Amino acid sequence: MSSGTVGAAEPAGAQAGPPAGPPTEPSAGPSAGPSAGPPAGRTGSAAPPAARRGAVRVPRWAPALAAAGLAVAAYAAYAAFQGTATLPHDDDAAPFRIVADLRAWADAERNRSPFFLFLVNYVRLGVGSVHDLLHLVLHGLGWAGLAGCAGALGWLAGGARTGLLAMAGFGAFGVLGVWQASVDTLALVLAAVLLSLAVGLPLGVWAGLSPRLRRLLTPLLDVMQIMPTFAYLAPMVLLFQIGPAAATVATMVYAIPPAIRITALAVEQVSPAAVEASESLGATRAQTLRGVRLPLARGTIGLAAGQTIMMALSMVVIAALIAAPGLGSDVIRGLSRADVGLMLPAGLAIVAMAVVLDRVVTAAARPPYEEALGPGAAARRSRVRRAAAGALAATGILLGRVLPAEFPGAWALDFAGPVNDAVDWAKTSWYGLTQAVGGAVAEGLLNPLQTVLTEAPWWLVAAVALAIGWRTGGPRPAAVATGCLLATALLGLWQHTMETLTTVLVAVALTLLAGLVLGVAAARSPRFAAVQRPLLDAAQTLPAFVYLLPALALFGATRFTAIFASVVYAVPAVARLVEEGVRNVAPGAVEAALSCGSTERQLLWKVRLPMARPALLLAANQGIVMTLAMVVVGGLVGAGGLGYDVVSGFSQRSDFGMGFAAGVATVLLGITLDRITQGAGRRPLTRTST
Amino acid sequence: MASPDGAAIEVRGLWKIFGPRADRVLGGPDAGLDPVALRERTGCVAAVRDVGFTVRPGEVFVVMGLSGSGKSTLVRCLTRLVEPTAGEISIAGEDVRAASPARLRDLRRNRVSMVFQHFGLLPHRRVLDNVAYGLEIQGVPRARRHERAREMLTLVGLEGFAETLPDRLSGGMQQRVGLARALATGPEVLLFDEPFSALDPLIRRDMQTEVVRLHREVGTTMLFITHDLSEALKLGERIAVMRAGEIVQTGTAEELVGSPADEYVADFVRDVPRGDVLSLRWICRDSADGERPGETALPAETVIRDAVPAVLHSDLPVRVVQDGRPIGVVDRRDVLSALAGLPGAAS
């Protein structure tokens, strides 16, 4: 209610003005004096002139003119200095050697230094044993036991439909012929998720209650989330060596931020009225937490758990780079050999696992009071569910004892052959089209842009970044962005950074274009939205690398594959944000515009899009971050640049230093782009408040 | 129940300033500035400014003001849901501002209850458990607290809804649950923060009647916040009008309408039908030369509208009597012009 009083203080004061204003009333009282603004006022004379000075307007065309001038200057500088002060790539740069030496040192210290002996090695041991235990139990249940237990959990959480879905999903692992790998992956994911939740949920609740802790955590979580997954694999290897333990920790780093963030948000945003009522009745903090905040936040905390699972699953493939067992390694092998038939079953199994885990967790988290059931019916239903789940689990475990643990090979379908045939057919018969599209993008966009970026002197690129950052976000973000960009040069990766920047820029442009068109279309036509929404839903729940599959099948291992995959990956989020932004424009404004006789087109261009500006900028920012993450993944399929450096850093020990540095450079590039675009999103707010 | 000095709530020099370094603003010269200037100079907002009032035990005291006048902040300061910046508050003899967290909790648990504009019900609990929540917090065993909660539900007319979830009830019924929850702890003081503003007019009138009835039955001291003048006039024995954090005037409905302290209050009460609020005291006059008052006499406290039949039936001016002494006369013309709200009728 404090904001209510703050906001309303102005009208109250404004009312004070008119009656007290005329100078004919000398005894108007000191309180009304300054707002009337006659020159006599002692305290008032300081403020109004300053306010007036701030209100001096720059002509509308001035910024545009300045921008055009800068662009011309930049082009002239490019023409004059092209080819000078470029920083060509060197595989043996000093930073790479330093990192390689660091790894040698860490390997030597592993059993000597107390830091490793008493901290790192214990973490490795603890995390590793959680994983090993789950691995043992899951394999020990046998395929029938595991499927039965999954079905039972699903039934318990969401009734028959969820239970059957869970069983079908687990059955699919076997039918796809990847049962062993799926269970390995499941063990890894469960270990990472359980540990993430064990740490993340309490921390999130605490952060929701304590603004101080939240302020402390926010920058840390920002870094964890903006950091492309590749970037922290190398440090993991440095500390924990390769294997399941390192993979679990890496997955945790990736999966924990949403657990903490969403939980904190849920606890913090519980209806203030309910919290206040509880406090007014004399509840202690603990009582309010237990009786009000946690029950009301339950659904959202379930969402946090679901999100954590999704994040953990999308790390599965990347974690395979540091020798995590399971489906991920099939995918990596398939990607590196452009063998779609090898990838597809593993990819489908990951999708099935994602769907099952997501449904079960969401169903379990749904607050029972939101379902329209009387208390008696609810109790009856939960009895039925418990009975069904118990029977299912018991049957499964018994069957698991009797049947062999191995999924019967006769039930598995053979995918690799037919899939590869189909891919070959698609490749040859659509060769002309795919070649033309890929070629056009490469020749028309990628190559020219890459030439400009790599051949321009480094200082010119930095200066342009500074100018754009300054224009969109002001001096501070511009300085941060430029600093990060220049730091990649210090890492010895300037040229590869420019190559990656090229693919990112092209992918972002295509993503924004597609996202804007789809989002606006969906906002304007409910029918289109109804068709598009489930597609977007499905697309957003898929793990990221899945988008590489069709791209790889159609376009082979090229830069365009990486771009295509990242566009497909990022478009759903962007389209959705655009749609929501355009649709949620204040209905009053839309109504007012309609009542003035605006056409649909005028409504869109004059009201909806301008008013949705913050949402559009958010969409752009989101699109850039997602695209960057994906373009780096594209290093696996021949996108070159930083992504390729990272991948080869893991596969060849001699390249470890370069891979490590490339991971850092990716982060720096991400921060650069994020600062520039986030500044653009924040700008209108700062402008109105000053 | 009553404190030594006989007041249920006593507030003196209460300030609440939101913003950076609020306590400094208070001590300095800026405290006297009007809200706009204050915000410009210090970035602070003074939501409550030097407020003082006394509520007698068993009284219904209404604080009325437009939104943003600081009344909701004021009521939250009373139990320190919002920490006041300065001032003294005593509720039933307890110095609220000096109370330790434990004593404050005790005060909130046993002596003061609050009813909120947006109800503040817990959607995941049955109505019964919502009503029993305050007792649950105190550690009252389940059977006892449920029994008490059922009594309260009967009191507010919600028997039969104990097992329902609050979301399934209408707004008016939800607020009855809030009321029952506040009553369940048996408080000495009930605080109402615009409890009926979110309800539609018909239900609001029902609920106002309900509060009047409860006050008659339970006799609790009530402090009632509202922005609705007619609600204030209907419920309040005394009314404090707030504006920009300050109390402009405190008095009975009759005093506010009859002699508003300033333009603001006058503006506020302009549309109130005077005949329904003012008593004969406000319109009686000395009898003119040669005018002979009739036999009929009315007490000075009679509301003007209630005097109409007597005045109609008397051809001569009616005598107005206070404590047995005649203080003047009124005739048909005086009553008519007062009812019609003509100028000069009641000033």
Side-chain angles (χ1 to χ4, degrees), chain A residues 246-613:
Chain A
T248 310
V249 175
T251 309
M252 279 177 69
V253 172
Y254 186 61
I256 260 188
I260 299 178
R261 270 227 164 108
I262 302 179
T263 306
L265 199 71
V267 170
E268 185 199 352
Q269 292 194 332
V270 159
S271 147
V275 171
E276 195 175 40
S278 173
E279 279 172 8
S280 85
L281 286 163
T284 59
R285 273 171 72 99
Q287 284 174 327
T288 303
L289 180 67
R290 231 181 14 252
V292 181
R293 285 191 193 265
L294 287 185
L296 291 187
R298 180 177 154 174
T300 318
I301 292 178
L303 204 69
Q307 193 69 24
T308 306
I309 290 177
M310 290 301 128
M311 302 288 274
L313 267 172
S314 58
M315 263 301 270
V316 160
V317 174
I318 289 161
L321 286 175
I322 52 173
L327 298 167
S329 55
D330 286 356
V331 175
I332 295 286
R333 264 186 297 140
L335 282 176
S336 54
R337 295 184 207 153
D339 182 347
V340 178
L342 181 61
M343 279 176 76
L344 189 66
L348 289 178
I350 294 179
V351 174
M353 198 181 292
V355 171
V356 169
L357 294 180
D358 181 55
R359 287 295 148 81
V360 172
V361 170
T362 331
R366 192 176 302 133
Y369 61 85
E370 277 180 10
E371 292 169 39
L373 276 178
R380 203 160 46 246
R381 195 183 62 174
S382 84
R383 264 202 307 282
V384 169
R385 280 190 182 180
R386 246 173 273 153
L392 210 54
T395 319
I397 290 172
L398 277 178
L399 276 175
R401 301 250 132 222
V402 180
L403 296 173
E406 200 61 41
F407 192 85
W411 294 3
L413 300 174
D414 177 32
F415 273 90
V419 168
N420 278 340
D421 290 346
V423 167
D424 285 341
W425 175 82
K427 260 190 192 151
T428 43
S429 51
W430 294 341
Y431 183 79
L433 180 68
T434 55
Q435 223 31 31
V437 172
V441 171
E443 295 300 322
L445 288 171
L446 283 169
N447 290 348
L449 187 60
Q450 184 161 329
T451 311
V452 168
L453 283 174
T454 49
E455 294 205 348
W458 60 267
W459 50 264
L460 183 61
V461 177
V464 170
L466 186 71
I468 297 177
W470 201 304
R471 170 90 183 88
T472 58
R476 176 100 68 86
V480 173
T482 313
C484 288
L485 195 61
L486 288 177
T488 63
L490 291 181
L491 285 170
L493 286 164
W494 178 261
Q495 193 188 338
H496 285 187
T497 304
M498 288 303 117
E499 287 172 21
T500 298
L501 182 61
T502 307
T503 36
V504 171
L505 289 180
V506 171
V508 164
L510 296 176
T511 301
L512 291 184
L513 194 69
L516 204 63
V517 170
L518 289 179
V520 168
R524 288 185 60 177
S525 149
R527 197 176 306 163
F528 184 74
V531 175
Q532 184 180 262
R533 196 166 305 127
L535 289 177
L536 294 188
D537 277 340
Q540 275 193 307
T541 45
L542 293 183
F545 74 92
V546 170
Y547 303 107
L548 284 173
L549 263 171
L552 191 64
L554 288 176
F555 300 101
T558 60
R559 271 179 307 173
F560 184 73
T561 303
I563 289 180
F564 181 85
S566 54
V567 169
V568 177
Y569 171 60
V571 156
V574 173
R576 186 177 301 243
L577 283 169
V578 169
E579 181 192 341
E580 254 165 50
V582 172
R583 190 194 299 279
N584 290 349
V585 161
V590 172
E591 224 168 59
L594 281 177
S595 77
C596 300
S598 305
T599 62
E600 271 293 315
R601 177 177 297 270
Q602 286 171 325
L603 191 65
L604 181 68
W605 287 104
K606 293 183 189 297
V607 180
R608 287 191 196 267
L609 286 183
M611 286 184 75
R613 187 184 138 111

Side-chain angles (χ1 to χ4, degrees), chain A residues 173-225:
Chain A
F173 300 160
V175 174
L176 289 164
V178 288
W179 177 263
Q180 288 292 335
S182 300
V183 177
D184 287 350
T185 292
L186 189 65
L188 183 74
V189 168
L190 284 186
V193 167
L194 289 181
L195 289 169
S196 296
L197 293 182
V199 178
L201 292 188
L203 214 54
V205 170
W206 189 9
L209 295 176
S210 150
R212 194 176 305 162
L213 181 67
R214 199 161 53 244
R215 271 199 300 279
L216 211 70
L217 282 177
T218 304
L220 189 69
L221 296 180
D222 280 345
V223 171
M224 284 164 83
Q225 281 197 308

Side-chain angles (χ1 to χ4, degrees), chain B:
Chain B
M1 163 159 162
S3 59
D5 55 356
I9 306 176
E10 179 142 31
V11 176
R12 255 185 260 128
L14 188 70
W15 282 82
K16 175 64 200 179
I17 299 176
F18 289 107
R21 309 218 188 132
D23 40 342
R24 273 189 162 186
V25 173
L26 189 59
D30 292 339
L33 291 178
D34 76 283
V36 178
L38 181 70
R39 189 150 71 156
E40 246 170 44
R41 281 181 63 88
T42 65
C44 288
V45 174
V48 176
R49 304 154 71 98
D50 197 17
V51 162
F53 58 84
T54 306
V55 182
R56 296 188 293 267
E59 184 180 13
V60 180
F61 187 84
V62 174
V63 177
M64 190 195 61
L66 298 178
S67 59
S69 63
K71 53 196 192 309
S72 285
T73 308
L74 170 65
V75 73
R76 279 168 177 74
C77 283
L78 295 184
T79 55
R80 284 171 55 193
L81 285 175
V82 168
E83 194 64 48
T85 312
E88 294 168 36
I89 303 164
S90 123
I91 295 184
E94 172 100 38
D95 183 351
V96 176
R97 292 219 56 208
S100 65
R103 288 213 54 108
L104 185 64
R105 247 191 334 264
D106 184 61
L107 182 86
R108 290 180 187 168
R109 285 182 178 183
N110 297 314
R111 309 175 81 175
V112 184
S113 284
M114 195 157 165
V115 180
F116 297 89
Q117 179 177 6
H118 298 296
F119 319 144
L121 301 180
L122 307 177
H124 62 290
R125 290 163 156 250
R126 297 176 294 167
V127 163
L128 187 69
D129 285 321
N130 262 290
V131 175
Y133 184 72
L135 299 168
E136 185 183 331
I137 282 170
Q138 300 175 20
V140 176
R142 176 190 296 264
R144 279 244 312 280
R145 65 174 191 251
H146 277 180
E147 185 193 326
R148 172 81 179 161
R150 281 184 204 283
E151 282 170 28
M152 290 304 117
L153 284 176
T154 313
L155 185 66
V156 299
L158 278 182
E159 56 274 80
F161 289 94
E163 306 298 323
T164 320
L165 289 172
D167 289 352
R168 310 236 180 309
L169 300 180
S170 70
M173 286 159 97
Q174 289 193 23
Q175 193 56 292
R176 280 171 200 262
V177 178
L179 198 55
R181 178 178 64 187
L183 287 168
T185 55
E188 295 160 33
V189 175
L190 268 175
L191 306 177
F192 291 86
D193 178 30
E194 300 209 31
F196 309 141
S197 304
L199 306 179
D200 55 50
L202 278 180
I203 300 189
R204 191 182 310 162
R205 210 168 58 199
D206 280 357
M207 292 298 289
Q208 287 161 356
T209 317
E210 185 81 13
V211 166
V212 171
R213 179 179 71 83
L214 281 172
H215 184 244
R216 256 202 323 269
E217 284 178 23
V218 191
T220 318
T221 310
M222 294 180 176
L223 190 137
F224 202 100
I225 305 286
T226 181
H227 65 243
D228 178 357
L229 182 65
S230 69
E231 189 168 85
L233 295 176
K234 179 166 179 182
L235 298 175
E237 290 168 41
R238 281 186 308 143
I239 300 165
V241 180
M242 268 188 102
R243 174 197 174 201
E246 287 170 310
I247 288 190
V248 192
Q249 186 176 9
T250 310
T252 60
E254 198 175 340
E255 282 162 354
L256 292 186
V257 175
S259 56
D262 63 6
E263 281 290 307
Y264 183 74
V265 181
D267 217 23
F268 232 112
V269 298
R270 177 172 299 149
D271 295 332
V272 175
R274 291 157 184 261
D276 293 354
V277 176
L278 296 186
S279 62
L280 293 179
R281 186 186 302 127
W282 297 88
I283 57 167
C284 69
R285 51 181 174 82
D286 299 334
S287 42
D289 290 341
E291 192 180 36
R292 196 167 47 83
E295 286 305 302
T296 332
L298 287 171
E301 301 83 63
T302 316
V303 175
I304 296 173
R305 183 173 294 282
D306 298 343
V308 168
V311 176
L312 268 185
H313 286 107
S314 161
D315 289 332
L316 298 170
V318 169
R319 282 182 296 144
V320 179
V321 188
Q322 185 165 24
D323 304 330
R325 279 183 315 105
I327 58 168
V329 295
V330 288
D331 60 14
R332 291 171 186 165
R333 218 178 55 194
D334 299 325
V335 170
L336 257 183
S337 43
L339 284 178
L342 294 182
S347 51

